[in-house]
């Protein structure tokens, strides 16, 4: 994934993914900070070598898993 930041909408809400830890070696995971309306909500690890479409899918899955575990928010 070549971008350092990525924004996407999920269920009508905007989320921002920002790379905070680049990989130390080739084909390692990067760490991404995830925020909504400027509030940090968690981190996501993702392989560096995936495409933008694969990254978007990974982000959507991460958000679905997060909100499935925590339940709906106001």
């Amino acid at each position: 994934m070549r971008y350092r930041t990525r924004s996407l909408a999920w269920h009508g809400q905007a989320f921002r993914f920002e790379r905070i830890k680049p990989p130390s070696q080739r084909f390692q995971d990067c760490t991404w900070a995830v925020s909504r309306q400027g509030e940090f909500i968690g981190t996501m690890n993702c392989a560096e070598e995936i495409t933008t479409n694969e990254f978007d899918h990974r982000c959507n899955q991460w958000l679905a898993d997060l909100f499935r575990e925590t339940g709906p928010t106001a």
Side-chain angles (χ1 to χ4, degrees), residues 1 3-10 13-20 31-44 55-56 59-60 62-63 66-67:
M1 192 26 212
Y3 300 105
R4 294 189 134 323
T5 62
R6 185 88 173 138
S7 296
L8 59 92
W10 187 80
Q13 297 183 52
F15 291 87
R16 179 178 171 94
F17 293 77
E18 184 171 356
R19 190 184 324 197
I20 58 174
T31 302
W32 296 78
V34 184
S35 60
R36 175 180 57 188
Q37 297 177 348
E39 181 181 353
F40 172 78
I41 61 170
T43 59
M44 179 186 83
F55 182 81
D56 289 351
C59 292
N60 282 307
W62 186 90
L63 290 166
L66 175 70
F67 290 112

